[in-house]
Amino acid sequence: PELEWDQTLAAAKKEGKRIIIGPPGDDVRQFLVGDFTKAFPGIEVDWSGIPGAAVVPKIKAERRAGLYTVDLHIGGTTSIITGLKDIAQPVESLLILPEVKDGKYWLDSKLDYADSEGKFVLMFVAYQRLAAIYNPQLLDAKKAKELSYWDLTKPEFKGKIIMADPRIAGPGQSFALFLYLHPQLGPDFFKALIKNDVLYSRDHRQVVEWVSTGKYSVGLAVDELTLASLRKAGIQNVTNQSRLKEGTYLTAGFGSLMVPQNNPHPNATKVYLNWFLSKKGQAAWVAGAGTPTRRNDVDVSQLDPDYILAPGITYINSSKEDVVQYREKLRDFLLEIQAR
């Protein structure tokens, strides 16, 4: 590995810049670009923060035009599996460092993949999705802790819930899949929830801010990167509710990656990828994104404990392809109930 690494590093410095598409946010960019360039000053990183729903059309359009500009995409599994898996190359063949390849450093003693083939879409994050956020001036903390999802369908919550749009790839769709597939909730619950005048929003910042200002008392399917950024900026009146009575689910969030075939800077990509999945790289992710890594040797004690997986709980993993495959059925269902 040392010889291969040295040769790859030398070739990477000749290639120079490498292109990454990742989740938006200044904190993410600062840590994942800044920390890397400090470690490898000869390799420049061009980071584009793009929401998941816009990534697939961009990359597909470029490739139809014969342009191969993207070296690495970091984002949600839904968009990667449904739109980009067919142009992905196996991740394992790009891994060099023993501390990256050895399963003992990872949750469940293995590198875990979202795709059914187990080689194209690597998940480096695993955390408990927040069930909800709420405004403590509008909803009592004790009552929030005792909430069932079914309680959100009652008249007292009519017109008081804002949710990330479940009709597009992102946290809203992952959350909707959890609700749709849950044996105690399912389609009947979702119909009742929507009838309670839930507002769909495609602006993740708006979901958090409108709960903070009291325009809505409860927010569902919150984007954790946005929430962390706003918390650092001092936003008030937003409280987490980690689980409701029916539980919550496990997600990789924006913590999955794929490497396109024929990427323009293959050696620089290997260097970044191996750094990114190392202890230092994943510590940079935790500091910038505020969500737990699957690496078991990275300190996550500074993170919100609501995100940490709880022992003894079996979670639905919304990032796996066998769950993502219900996306089209969910979308048809949402269109059906919206038309009524």
Side-chain angles (χ1 to χ4, degrees), residues 41-328:
I43 307 173
E44 184 181 351
V45 175
D46 186 352
W47 180 283
S48 297
I50 301 176
V55 172
V56 174
K58 171 182 168 56
I59 295 179
K60 290 286 193 180
E62 287 182 350
R63 293 203 158 218
R64 284 195 298 271
L67 300 174
Y68 298 84
T69 65
V70 179
D71 286 299
L72 172 66
H73 171 45
I74 298 171
T77 56
T78 299
S79 58
I80 298 176
I81 288 172
T82 59
L84 299 175
K85 191 177 76 167
D86 61 326
I87 64 167
Q89 55 180 293
V91 174
E92 189 172 357
S93 63
L94 308 174
L95 304 181
I96 301 172
L97 299 179
E99 72 152 306
V100 171
K101 298 170 69 173
D102 194 330
K104 71 181 182 182
Y105 296 109
W106 297 92
L107 179 68
D108 298 330
S109 300
K110 65 179 181 179
L111 289 163
D112 201 12
Y113 294 84
D115 59 288
S116 56
E117 296 85 354
K119 59 183 178 180
F120 297 115
V121 187
L122 178 67
M123 298 182 294
F124 57 88
V125 162
Y127 65 94
Q128 176 178 265
R129 173 71 80 177
L130 290 179
I133 58 170
Y134 65 93
N135 186 313
Q137 295 183 341
L138 301 177
L139 182 62
D140 179 70
K142 182 178 179 182
K143 184 173 182 179
K145 285 186 180 357
E146 297 172 350
L147 276 179
S148 159
Y149 283 104
W150 283 102
D151 289 331
L152 301 179
T153 67
K154 294 178 179 178
E156 65 187 282
F157 286 102
K158 190 175 183 67
K160 295 182 179 179
I161 301 170
I162 183 170
M163 175 180 179
D165 195 335
R167 297 167 296 186
I168 62 172
Q173 195 164 92
S174 296
F175 189 77
L177 279 170
F178 162 71
L179 299 175
Y180 185 74
L181 296 173
H182 197 294
Q184 297 172 16
L185 299 169
D188 288 341
F189 165 77
F190 218 110
K191 290 176 186 177
L193 181 68
I194 299 309
K195 283 182 181 178
N196 226 18
D197 293 342
V198 173
L199 176 71
Y200 291 164
S201 175
R202 297 191 176 188
D203 184 338
H204 298 317
R205 190 180 183 97
Q206 183 182 69
V207 175
V208 181
E209 288 180 338
W210 282 11
V211 171
S212 172
T213 59
K215 192 165 186 176
Y216 290 84
S217 57
V218 175
L220 300 178
V222 174
D223 170 34
E224 287 85 0
L225 295 183
T226 301
L227 179 59
S229 177
L230 290 173
R231 283 226 163 96
K232 286 181 180 179
I235 198 167
Q236 301 292 315
N237 297 322
V238 178
T239 301
N240 294 356
Q241 184 56 41
S242 60
R243 289 191 297 274
L244 301 192
K245 282 186 179 178
E246 295 83 2
T248 185
Y249 60 101
L250 179 156
T251 181
F254 286 113
S256 301
L257 60 83
M258 62 80 67
V259 179
Q261 300 166 11
N262 303 315
N263 58 311
H265 309 99
N267 292 290
T269 299
K270 285 184 181 181
V271 173
Y272 187 90
L273 185 60
N274 280 269
W275 171 84
F276 180 67
L277 294 174
S278 72
K279 181 178 181 179
K280 289 183 178 178
Q282 287 300 285
W285 171 270
V286 170
T291 53
T293 172
R294 288 182 60 88
R295 279 197 73 106
N296 55 32
D297 58 351
V298 174
D299 181 17
V300 295
S301 61
Q302 76 274 28
L303 298 183
D304 191 319
D306 286 335
Y307 294 146
I308 307 301
L309 299 181
I313 293 180
T314 300
Y315 294 92
I316 293 174
N317 188 340
S318 69
S319 300
K320 288 283 191 176
E321 187 165 3
D322 61 351
V323 175
V324 172
Q325 68 182 350
Y326 285 94
R327 183 182 63 96
E328 292 298 332

